[in-house]
Amino acid sequence: MPGRSEGLPLEALWEAPEPPTIPVDRRGGLLPAPLAARHPGSLIVDLLDDRPTVVADFVSSLDGVVALASGSTGAGGADISGHSDADRFMMALLRGLADVIVVGAGTARVGHRHIWTAAYLQPALAGVFAAWRSEMWLAPQPTTIVVTASGNLDATHAGLNHPDVPVIVATTPSGADRLARLPLAPNVRIEAVGDDDNVPAGAILELIRGTGARLAVCEGGPHLFGELLRARLVDELFLTLAPQLAGRDATTSRLSLVEGTSFGEGQGRWADLIGVRRAGDDLFLRYRFQP
Ligand SMILES: NC(=O)c1ccc[n+]([C@@H]2O[C@H](COP(=O)([O-])OP(=O)(O)OC[C@H]3O[C@@H](n4cnc5c(N)ncnc54)[C@H](OP(=O)(O)O)[C@@H]3O)[C@@H](O)[C@H]2O)c1
């Protein structure tokens, strides 16, 4: 089944002008033609010279929900985006630029078939992404870093078993004990860099740096993002706003996508974007729900 927004271009409505001094190091540039067909123009991330740059990527519902629940019971970002192909494409572009993808174990546990590569999100463009990375002198695939205190990972998870994707599991000493008993694939390395119940942001950064990376993309979830944010280690945020709503059920107190606004259910109420304004860094969006 084609995803929502299949094939739609990501039009640029506004972009900040170039800063007067161009940083020395940047990642990206003009995109290869098959990628520029969906994302016209260029995609560039400025690179810091004293530590790896960390860019985060999230999709939110209109009312600001990025996860319906914490842990493996939560719906994935794809549910929040309404299975938006444009969102998958944007994520793939960022993966295409990245040396490292960092995810929390809660996010990993939601999708057992997920592999943190651009090709997984856009299989038809796998060759284009491979050639683009090669042109940028990047490794064929970004390294995946999964952060877990408990070490509660499924050794059969597809994202831990792709021979071309190096994986580092950043964990605590007890997490490492648990992981050492699992039949993990040879591409997976366990790093016990945390204390008893946490892997500090600084330790995650040092693991990223240890791979030689200049650019890491954090794909969440909220716990991991919070850890990096509090340590002031997030340099940019790519935020997709998906035109659906989530709300908390008054009786169960659980968040869920509001009946009738979820895409893929056939009878969803679709929201149309009908206005975009900005005042400085404030963004004003206007949506109209279809009856
Ligand atoms: N909308 C979006 O763009 C988006 C993006 C990503 C995720 N999500 C959703 O978010 C939900 C999961 O939320 P979450 O907050 O639980 O996600 P999460 O941060 O991916 O997972 C939390 C788990 O990750 C591990 N973890 C994270 N930071 C850690 C740290 N500093 N030290 C040690 N362990 C750490 C812990 O694993 P252990 O329990 O193993 O110790 C923790 O329980 C899922 O539904 C997912 O689909 C949405």
Side-chain angles (χ1 to χ4, degrees):
M1 189 179 75
R4 195 173 64 77
S5 66
E6 183 91 23
L8 284 183
L10 284 86
E11 287 175 80
L13 298 180
W14 177 82
E15 271 178 2
E18 286 285 336
T21 32
I22 308 267
V24 180
D25 284 330
R26 321 181 96 183
R27 178 69 54 82
L30 280 175
L31 299 178
L35 303 182
R38 292 278 316 261
H39 184 290
S42 55
L43 179 62
I44 298 171
V45 178
D46 294 345
L47 300 177
L48 300 172
D49 53 15
D50 57 342
R51 66 162 171 81
T53 301
V54 180
V55 166
D57 185 26
F58 267 99
V59 55
S60 165
S61 69
L62 290 180
D63 50 340
V65 172
V66 299
L68 299 180
S70 182
S72 53
T73 53
D79 297 283
I80 301 283
S81 83
H83 297 271
S84 162
D85 184 62
D87 184 53
R88 287 171 77 86
F89 184 80
M90 192 64 226
M91 284 174 81
L93 285 184
L94 293 174
R95 290 182 184 184
L97 285 181
D99 300 303
V100 167
I101 309 293
V102 200
V103 291
T107 299
R109 287 192 285 261
V110 167
H112 288 262
R113 284 175 306 183
H114 204 98
I115 303 170
W116 289 277
T117 62
Y120 177 81
L121 295 172
Q122 295 292 326
L125 293 168
V128 178
F129 279 107
W132 187 37
R133 289 183 67 84
S134 166
E135 274 168 33
M136 292 186 285
W137 300 94
L138 301 180
Q141 303 293 354
T143 296
T144 301
I145 297 185
V146 184
V147 184
T148 169
S150 69
N152 176 17
L153 293 180
D154 176 357
T156 66
H157 191 299
L160 305 180
N161 285 281
H162 193 299
D164 299 338
V165 180
V167 179
I168 300 172
V169 182
T171 190
T172 59
S174 60
D177 285 347
R178 182 177 186 161
L179 288 159
R181 293 195 290 272
L182 297 181
L184 292 169
N187 57 307
V188 180
R189 195 174 95 214
I190 302 166
E191 291 283 354
V193 290
D195 49 33
D196 284 348
D197 50 17
N198 195 45
V199 181
I204 299 169
L205 183 76
E206 287 316 309
L207 283 179
I208 295 171
R209 197 199 301 267
T211 66
R214 300 291 311 275
L215 178 62
V217 173
C218 171
E219 293 191 3
H223 278 89
L224 174 64
F225 184 57
E227 177 74 26
L228 296 171
L229 207 55
R230 277 188 294 276
R232 304 179 76 89
L233 287 178
V234 180
D235 302 299
E236 283 194 34
L237 171 67
F238 285 76
L239 178 66
T240 304
L241 199 55
Q244 67 171 335
L245 297 169
R248 202 173 283 283
D249 185 295
T251 43
T252 64
S253 278
R254 293 182 67 164
L255 279 169
S256 61
L257 296 170
V258 174
E259 185 86 20
T261 65
S262 178
F263 298 99
E265 291 177 5
Q267 52 186 17
R269 277 175 74 211
W270 298 68
D272 296 325
L273 178 64
I274 58 172
V276 179
R277 289 174 187 257
R278 72 176 265 270
D281 295 326
D282 288 354
L283 197 53
F284 300 84
L285 306 177
R286 181 175 177 191
Y287 284 90
R288 183 175 293 141
F289 285 96
Q290 293 179 0

